Short mmCIF file of all heavy atoms in Angstrom, two decimals:
data_model
loop_
_atom_site.label_atom_id
_atom_site.label_comp_id
_atom_site.label_asym_id
_atom_site.label_seq_id
_atom_site.Cartn_x
_atom_site.Cartn_y
_atom_site.Cartn_z
N ALA A 299 208.29 139.68 149.37
CA ALA A 299 209.54 139.10 148.87
C ALA A 299 210.29 139.98 147.88
O ALA A 299 211.52 140.14 147.99
CB ALA A 299 209.25 137.73 148.26
N PRO A 300 209.62 140.60 146.88
CA PRO A 300 210.37 141.43 145.92
C PRO A 300 211.08 142.62 146.54
O PRO A 300 212.02 143.16 145.93
CB PRO A 300 209.28 141.89 144.93
CG PRO A 300 208.18 140.91 145.08
CD PRO A 300 208.21 140.49 146.51
N PHE A 301 210.70 143.03 147.70
CA PHE A 301 211.30 144.22 148.31
C PHE A 301 212.63 143.91 148.99
O PHE A 301 213.29 144.84 149.48
CB PHE A 301 210.32 144.85 149.31
CG PHE A 301 209.19 145.60 148.65
CD1 PHE A 301 208.01 144.94 148.31
CD2 PHE A 301 209.32 146.94 148.33
CE1 PHE A 301 206.98 145.61 147.69
CE2 PHE A 301 208.29 147.62 147.72
CZ PHE A 301 207.11 146.96 147.38
N GLU A 302 213.02 142.63 149.04
CA GLU A 302 214.38 142.31 149.50
C GLU A 302 215.40 142.93 148.57
O GLU A 302 216.41 143.49 149.01
CB GLU A 302 214.56 140.79 149.57
CG GLU A 302 213.74 140.09 150.66
CD GLU A 302 214.35 140.29 152.03
OE1 GLU A 302 215.41 140.94 152.14
OE2 GLU A 302 213.74 139.81 153.02
N ALA A 303 215.13 142.83 147.27
CA ALA A 303 216.04 143.42 146.27
C ALA A 303 216.03 144.94 146.36
O ALA A 303 217.07 145.60 146.22
CB ALA A 303 215.63 142.96 144.88
N VAL A 304 214.84 145.52 146.61
CA VAL A 304 214.74 146.97 146.75
C VAL A 304 215.58 147.43 147.94
O VAL A 304 216.29 148.44 147.87
CB VAL A 304 213.26 147.39 146.93
CG1 VAL A 304 213.17 148.88 147.18
CG2 VAL A 304 212.45 147.01 145.71
N ALA A 305 215.52 146.68 149.04
CA ALA A 305 216.29 147.03 150.23
C ALA A 305 217.79 147.01 149.95
O ALA A 305 218.52 147.92 150.36
CB ALA A 305 215.94 146.07 151.37
N GLN A 306 218.26 145.98 149.24
CA GLN A 306 219.68 145.89 148.93
C GLN A 306 220.13 147.02 148.01
O GLN A 306 221.20 147.61 148.19
CB GLN A 306 219.98 144.54 148.28
CG GLN A 306 219.79 143.36 149.23
CD GLN A 306 220.12 142.04 148.57
OE1 GLN A 306 220.57 141.99 147.41
NE2 GLN A 306 219.89 140.94 149.29
N SER A 307 219.30 147.36 147.02
CA SER A 307 219.66 148.41 146.07
C SER A 307 219.70 149.79 146.74
O SER A 307 220.44 150.67 146.29
CB SER A 307 218.68 148.45 144.90
OG SER A 307 217.38 148.80 145.35
N GLN A 308 218.94 149.98 147.81
CA GLN A 308 218.91 151.27 148.49
C GLN A 308 219.76 151.28 149.76
O GLN A 308 219.70 152.23 150.53
CB GLN A 308 217.46 151.64 148.84
CG GLN A 308 216.57 151.85 147.62
CD GLN A 308 215.16 152.30 148.00
OE1 GLN A 308 214.90 152.66 149.15
NE2 GLN A 308 214.25 152.30 147.04
N ASN A 309 220.52 150.22 149.98
CA ASN A 309 221.37 150.12 151.17
C ASN A 309 220.53 150.21 152.45
O ASN A 309 220.88 150.91 153.40
CB ASN A 309 222.45 151.21 151.15
CG ASN A 309 223.55 150.94 152.17
OD1 ASN A 309 223.74 149.79 152.61
ND2 ASN A 309 224.28 151.97 152.56
N LYS A 310 219.43 149.48 152.46
CA LYS A 310 218.54 149.43 153.62
C LYS A 310 218.27 147.97 153.98
O LYS A 310 218.70 147.06 153.28
CB LYS A 310 217.22 150.17 153.31
CG LYS A 310 217.41 151.65 152.97
CD LYS A 310 216.10 152.31 152.57
CE LYS A 310 216.33 153.75 152.14
NZ LYS A 310 215.09 154.43 151.70
N ARG A 311 217.53 147.75 155.05
CA ARG A 311 217.24 146.39 155.49
C ARG A 311 215.72 146.20 155.59
O ARG A 311 214.99 147.12 155.96
CB ARG A 311 217.85 146.12 156.87
CG ARG A 311 219.36 146.25 156.90
CD ARG A 311 219.94 145.87 158.27
NE ARG A 311 219.35 146.63 159.35
CZ ARG A 311 219.75 147.85 159.70
NH1 ARG A 311 220.75 148.44 159.04
NH2 ARG A 311 219.18 148.48 160.71
N LEU A 312 215.30 145.00 155.25
CA LEU A 312 213.89 144.64 155.36
C LEU A 312 213.76 143.49 156.36
O LEU A 312 214.37 142.44 156.19
CB LEU A 312 213.30 144.22 154.00
CG LEU A 312 211.85 143.68 154.04
CD1 LEU A 312 210.89 144.76 154.54
CD2 LEU A 312 211.42 143.17 152.68
N SER A 313 212.98 143.72 157.40
CA SER A 313 212.75 142.70 158.42
C SER A 313 211.29 142.28 158.38
O SER A 313 210.39 143.12 158.54
CB SER A 313 213.09 143.27 159.81
OG SER A 313 212.70 142.38 160.83
N CYS A 314 211.05 140.99 158.15
CA CYS A 314 209.69 140.47 158.06
C CYS A 314 209.45 139.44 159.16
O CYS A 314 210.23 138.50 159.32
CB CYS A 314 209.43 139.82 156.70
SG CYS A 314 209.41 141.00 155.33
N SER A 315 208.38 139.62 159.91
CA SER A 315 207.97 138.66 160.93
C SER A 315 206.50 138.32 160.65
O SER A 315 205.60 139.08 161.01
CB SER A 315 208.13 139.26 162.34
OG SER A 315 207.65 138.36 163.32
N ILE A 316 206.29 137.18 160.00
CA ILE A 316 204.95 136.80 159.53
C ILE A 316 204.55 135.50 160.20
O ILE A 316 205.21 134.47 160.03
CB ILE A 316 204.93 136.65 158.00
CG1 ILE A 316 205.34 137.98 157.34
CG2 ILE A 316 203.55 136.22 157.52
CD1 ILE A 316 205.53 137.89 155.85
N GLN A 317 203.49 135.55 160.98
CA GLN A 317 202.98 134.35 161.63
C GLN A 317 202.37 133.43 160.57
O GLN A 317 201.49 133.85 159.81
CB GLN A 317 201.92 134.72 162.68
CG GLN A 317 201.40 133.53 163.47
CD GLN A 317 200.42 133.95 164.56
OE1 GLN A 317 200.45 135.10 165.01
NE2 GLN A 317 199.57 133.04 164.99
N PRO A 318 202.83 132.18 160.48
CA PRO A 318 202.35 131.29 159.42
C PRO A 318 200.93 130.78 159.65
O PRO A 318 200.40 130.87 160.76
CB PRO A 318 203.36 130.14 159.46
CG PRO A 318 203.83 130.11 160.87
CD PRO A 318 203.84 131.54 161.33
N MET A 319 200.34 130.27 158.58
CA MET A 319 199.06 129.56 158.61
C MET A 319 197.88 130.44 159.04
O MET A 319 196.87 129.95 159.53
CB MET A 319 199.13 128.35 159.53
CG MET A 319 200.26 127.38 159.22
SD MET A 319 200.12 126.66 157.57
CE MET A 319 198.67 125.64 157.78
N LEU A 320 197.98 131.75 158.81
CA LEU A 320 196.84 132.62 159.09
C LEU A 320 196.02 132.81 157.83
O LEU A 320 196.59 133.00 156.74
CB LEU A 320 197.31 133.98 159.61
CG LEU A 320 198.05 133.99 160.95
CD1 LEU A 320 198.41 135.41 161.34
CD2 LEU A 320 197.22 133.32 162.04
N SER A 321 194.72 132.76 157.95
CA SER A 321 193.85 132.91 156.79
C SER A 321 192.74 133.90 157.11
O SER A 321 192.43 134.16 158.27
CB SER A 321 193.25 131.57 156.39
OG SER A 321 192.49 131.01 157.45
N GLY A 322 192.14 134.45 156.07
CA GLY A 322 191.05 135.40 156.23
C GLY A 322 190.35 135.64 154.92
O GLY A 322 190.84 135.25 153.85
N LYS A 323 189.21 136.27 154.97
CA LYS A 323 188.44 136.55 153.76
C LYS A 323 188.93 137.83 153.10
O LYS A 323 189.26 138.80 153.78
CB LYS A 323 186.95 136.69 154.11
CG LYS A 323 186.27 135.39 154.49
CD LYS A 323 184.79 135.60 154.67
CE LYS A 323 184.08 134.28 154.97
NZ LYS A 323 182.61 134.46 155.13
N GLY A 324 188.97 137.83 151.77
CA GLY A 324 189.40 139.02 151.06
C GLY A 324 189.77 138.74 149.63
O GLY A 324 189.58 137.64 149.10
N ASN A 325 190.32 139.76 148.99
CA ASN A 325 190.77 139.69 147.60
C ASN A 325 192.30 139.62 147.60
O ASN A 325 192.96 140.58 148.00
CB ASN A 325 190.29 140.93 146.84
CG ASN A 325 190.57 140.84 145.36
OD1 ASN A 325 191.64 140.40 144.95
ND2 ASN A 325 189.62 141.27 144.55
#
């Protein structure tokens, strides 16, 4: 999410496609 602002400040685009409700083990 914070990189949306980075994209706007650098005149670039951020495209995110995240499949919801996925879980896994980790930190």
Side-chain angles (χ1 to χ4, degrees):
F301 285 89
E302 291 284 358
V304 176
Q306 293 181 4
S307 65
Q308 296 183 12
N309 194 22
K310 300 175 184 178
R311 300 184 304 277
L312 174 62
S313 172
C314 292
S315 176
I316 300 172
Q317 184 176 337
M319 305 299 291
L320 296 182
S321 60
K323 289 186 176 181
N325 187 319

